[in-house]
Amino acid sequence: MRKFILIILTGACLISCGKGNPVPSVLVNFQSPIDPNYSALHVVGGHAYAPGGVAGLILYYSQTRGIVAFDRCSSYQPEKKCAVTVDASGLTATDPCSGSKFSLEDGSPVKAPATKSLRSYQVITTPFTIQVVN
């Protein structure tokens, strides 16, 4: 009986482990001086768009995490490569193809039909530059 339960749990783990982020993994290595194009990143809640990723990048100054970066490609039907845009509130981004909304604090979905978070990337900052990598 224990062997049977172990086999079932292992199978369930293997199936669920394969359901990671649906947005394709592509090489990201964006670097820029923090110039007027990115001056909004000096203020909590500020955002900027940058090249890279599948559908571009959103750089966002999170209240709790500092500058974070997400791929603009929606996690809902990523094959369509719909680029999310930051809403007027500055707190969420919307997929124009499906209406899904995502929190910019952590990339998590806040409105269906999306159920997966936006793909996030590592951000390295100095007083004068910003770099986004994976």
Side-chain angles (χ1 to χ4, degrees), residues 11 21 39 42-43 49 58 64 74 79 85 99 105 107 114 118 123 133:
N21 195 303
S39 62
H42 292 294
V43 180
Y49 298 114
I58 294 175
T64 58
S74 176
E79 65 278 1
T85 56
E105 191 62 33
L118 295 172
V123 177
V133 296

Side-chain angles (χ1 to χ4, degrees), residues 18 21 28 30 62 64 70-71 73-74 77 80 86 88 97 99 103 105 108 124 132:
N21 195 303
V28 173
F30 168 79
S62 162
T64 58
F70 302 104
D71 202 301
C73 183
S74 176
Q77 298 179 330
K80 291 184 176 181
V86 177
C97 298
S103 166
E105 191 62 33
S108 63
I124 302 163
V132 180

Side-chain angles (χ1 to χ4, degrees), residues 94-113:
T94 299
D95 170 357
C97 298
S98 70
S100 297
K101 286 188 181 281
F102 302 88
S103 166
L104 291 174
E105 191 62 33
D106 61 3
S108 63
V110 295
K111 181 181 175 204

